[in-house]
Amino acid sequence: MRVLLRSARPYGEEPVDVALENGVIAAMAAPGTLPAGDLDVDATGLVLLPGLVDLHTHLREPGREDAETIETGTRAAALGGFTAVHAMANTQPVADTAGVVEMVWRRGVEAGHCDVHPVGAVTVGLAGEHLAELGAMADSAARVRVFSDDGICVSDPVIMRRALEYVKAFDGVIAQHAQEPRLTQGAQMNEGALSGVLGLAGWPAVAEEAIIARDVLLAAHVGSRVHICHLSTAGSVDIVRYAKSRGIDVTAEVTPHHLILTEDLAGTYDPVYKVNPPLRTETDVMAVREGLADGTIDAVATDHAPHAHEDKDCEWAAGAFGMLGLETALSVVVDTMVSHGRLDWRGVADRMSERPARIGRLADQGRPIAVGEPASLVLVDPGASWTVDPGRLASRSRNTPFAGRALPARVVATFLRGRPTVLDGVIA
Amino acid sequence: MRHLLSTSDLTRDEALLILDTAAELGRVTDRAVKKLPTLRGRTVVNLFFEDSTRTRISFEAAAKRLSADVITFSAKGSSVSKGESLKDTALTLEAMGADAVVVRHHASGAPYRLAHSGWVGCSVVNAGDGTHEHPTQALLDAFTLREHLRELEGRRVVIVGDVLHSRVARSNVALLSTLGAQVTLVAPPTLLPVGVDTWPCAVSYDLDAALEGADAVMMLRVQNERMNAAYFPSTHEYSRRYGLDTRRAALLADGAIVLHPGPMNRGMEISADVADGPRSVIVEQVTNGVSVRMAVLYLVLGARAEDSAGEASAAEAVSA
Ligand SMILES: [Zn+2]
């Protein structure tokens, strides 16, 4: 099938016609100069970006198919403009063997909405005690390169050191959920003046920052690379900036919700705002935006965390941690970064596609928009505005913190190796 | 007043209205007739997810003296203890026609959630939520302080102990400062929440200095288990630095009073001779608790009355 995108603006720049054929970008030329395709898309005014890559997605399958499945989660991903997601390992059973990661990978291929790259657990059962068979997962059909106990911190410094060393053999990376467990026992929200007033146990910034500081030093010591999941505090940005200035091979991600929401929402005691790491202060929000703008933070990653209704329709302490993110991520980035001039569309492509693809070692994602490159692309209407309706999201769960909120920019179409996965804003 | 969730929601006038109403209701029930017809036909549900005999009994007595129908769900021996969710329990209560639900819950914010989630339409009274607030305790403390000190404006009240885990301290700081008192919190730094410097009170680590000339001191219960989590080294050291004994009580102003929300750890935060001594108003606090809870129930339910009586005052209700 040959697809013609008429008058698309790559990276928001000058309009061109873009022809997609045989999975690659077959031609790019001045508007009106390329022959029609089997499918013609009028992309006038739309921004063309490389397909987005999420380093941090909870698809919940296997184990919690009531909250999300690989089918529903990847539909949500495609609608959000993603052509690849990294499926976190904290499923039931845990993705800590070649068997489980291959199953997840295959289900992703079958669903066909975007590439699904399983993340392998660092330790058996996420228990933090014994290394999982990282090599077997790397060598499996799923070709795992990102390993994480996400949800739980690899807190034992010796296990972390060994994991960092071990994955060097296959160019893997450890993605750390940075949370010192003893400092966050029973933690419910960001620790500060507000947690004291609300009587909710605090999750102090230092519990994140102390682990990041330790892990960048460990990565430097053993000559490996480390990736920091969902960095959320101003202090964490400083530490990563310092580590990068010292040449340490560290990368970091921030979630859309940490770019836009603050801890004040805990005052509603509505667990839809309960997330781990917690929403932080305005100062932290401004610092992570700054860090994302200057490249200290490499990527926006959704930490898309679907939860069944009953796990959120309860009192705060009983509520599960996590928020939906795939279908709102790009809009939040436009709202917080593009609209305010902190990032241009090249910057969005870099932080939401190119760098996350590099961190995950995905050879055919996050590529330049150029002839001969893979035709995994997204068309965005930058001027659109839409109101988030939880009932109309593709995710099986409804726990978006943006219900009723108007957000800018809308994904119009997504292409995975030349094949439309989303057209006119709906699953193709 | 639709709900009572937090003392920080109360204006000075609202707080004074509750205290004045409590005084009025207290005077009536001092007389031979202990029961008023005010809430006849109304149903008050006590929903106790956490065991608290004294608060539960106090609310029961308050509701019964106003002739309300009272249903009590306690943690022990009900579906509550078998893990039924707050929401499901609330829906059951709604179906039973509850006009007000008095809720004690181990999760901070549970009463707020109950009042704002749309699960139920009735009034919600917070009877203590996690480490958040215990507004009726603060109101009965303020009531007791007022009886002894008359005016709270400018009075110095010292609150001592495990502020970090204390809903009583949070509610008292907000309420007493609204009423014009000068509150000083005294605790080891480990038992003060981060950000306590933003609260409307002073903070000190020096109990002797804080007690000097104070008009009242409120001792908070300190659980022995805190020692195991390294909040302080030993019960002995705790009581030496932060316990109230006769020597320290003598530092207070003349006529000053000693309060404790109970249950007490005698010998830990308060010595037996002070607890039973002349300055102690601990027994009065219990009595006043019933009056204050009557006032709260009357006001939250009275405010919702849609009959022609409308805004009947407590006095009118009493004389009816
Ligand atoms: Zn995580």
Side-chain angles (χ1 to χ4, degrees), chain A residues 191-193 196-200 268-271 312-315, chain B residues 86-87 105 107-109 112-113 119 131-132 170 194-195 198-199:
Chain A
E191 182 164 278
V197 170
L198 295 177
L200 293 171
T268 64
Y269 289 108
D270 183 343
K312 286 291 191 181
D313 194 29
C314 55
E315 58 276 21
Chain B
L86 175 65
K87 181 186 177 182
H105 202 284
S108 297
Y112 183 98
R113 187 84 173 117
W119 302 331
T131 54
H132 178 223
R170 280 173 182 74
V194 167
T198 64
W199 293 17

Side-chain angles (χ1 to χ4, degrees), chain A residues 56 58 150-151 177 229-230 276-277 303:
Chain A
H56 196 141
H58 296 276
D150 182 62
H177 169 116
C229 294
H230 43 53
N276 193 16
D303 197 5

Side-chain angles (χ1 to χ4, degrees), chain A residues 56 58 88 90 148-153 175-179 229-230 253 276-277 303:
Chain A
H56 196 141
H58 296 276
M88 275 300 172
N90 63 339
S148 182
D149 276 0
D150 182 62
I152 300 172
C153 182
Q176 176 70 293
H177 169 116
Q179 177 181 6
C229 294
H230 43 53
E253 70 189 33
N276 193 16
D303 197 5

Side-chain angles (χ1 to χ4, degrees), chain B residues 24-259:
Chain B
E24 226 172 319
L25 292 167
R27 271 194 295 280
V28 174
T29 49
D30 273 349
R31 299 207 290 263
V33 186
K34 289 230 188 281
K35 213 163 165 170
L36 305 169
T38 319
L39 296 183
R40 180 162 294 152
R42 302 301 194 87
T43 300
V44 174
V45 174
N46 288 320
L47 182 54
F48 277 62
F49 284 83
E50 204 179 62
D51 217 13
S52 171
T53 310
R54 63 173 59 212
T55 305
R56 178 175 55 77
I57 288 175
S58 180
F59 268 107
E60 276 175 5
K64 282 178 180 158
R65 284 188 197 172
L66 293 170
S67 304
D69 296 323
V70 183
I71 302 170
T72 296
F73 280 74
S74 307
K76 283 193 179 122
S78 75
S79 58
V80 162
S81 60
K82 297 180 188 97
E84 185 173 273
S85 73
L86 175 65
K87 181 186 177 182
D88 289 335
T89 309
L91 294 177
T92 307
L93 304 180
E94 181 85 337
M96 294 169 83
D99 295 294
V101 54
V102 174
V103 60
R104 159 72 68 113
H105 202 284
H106 44 80
S108 297
Y112 183 98
R113 187 84 173 117
L114 203 52
H116 291 92
S117 58
W119 302 331
V120 294
C122 61
S123 288
V124 178
V125 176
N126 182 359
D129 61 327
T131 54
H132 178 223
E133 286 226 24
H134 193 352
T136 59
Q137 177 69 45
L139 285 161
L140 77 86
D141 290 336
F143 185 94
T144 308
L145 287 164
R146 250 178 135 210
E147 289 214 309
H148 287 267
L149 309 175
R150 297 200 11 248
E151 180 55 55
L152 290 187
E153 188 71 44
R155 295 294 193 171
R156 286 188 45 219
V157 181
V158 181
I159 301 176
V160 188
D162 184 358
V163 176
L164 179 63
H165 300 96
S166 175
R167 49 196 171 210
V168 176
R170 280 173 182 74
S171 287
N172 263 300
V173 168
L175 180 64
L176 295 179
S177 70
T178 296
L179 294 173
Q182 295 173 17
V183 180
T184 303
L185 297 174
V186 180
T190 46
L191 290 175
L192 289 167
V194 167
V196 72
D197 52 310
T198 64
W199 293 17
C201 62
V203 175
S204 169
Y205 309 132
D206 182 346
L207 183 54
D208 284 8
L211 290 178
E212 198 88 52
D215 298 297
V217 59
M218 182 183 303
M219 303 306 297
L220 303 171
R221 177 180 169 81
V222 176
Q223 294 177 323
N224 287 332
E225 305 92 88
R226 303 290 177 218
M227 185 173 65
N228 303 327
Y231 286 105
F232 50 85
S234 68
T235 53
H236 183 68
E237 173 154 327
Y238 183 87
S239 61
R240 199 170 53 221
R241 292 179 69 89
Y242 300 100
L244 187 66
D245 57 12
T246 317
R247 179 190 67 78
R248 283 195 167 122
L251 299 170
L252 294 162
D254 290 342
I257 57 172
V258 174
L259 300 95

Side-chain angles (χ1 to χ4, degrees), chain A residues 71-110:
Chain A
E71 170 69 24
T72 59
T74 55
R75 278 172 172 260
L79 288 165
F82 291 89
T83 50
V85 298
H86 288 78
M88 275 300 172
N90 63 339
T91 48
Q92 297 156 12
V94 171
D96 58 1
T97 62
V100 178
V101 294
E102 283 193 346
M103 187 280 272
V104 170
W105 176 76
R106 281 213 181 83
R107 296 299 301 271
V109 172
E110 285 161 20

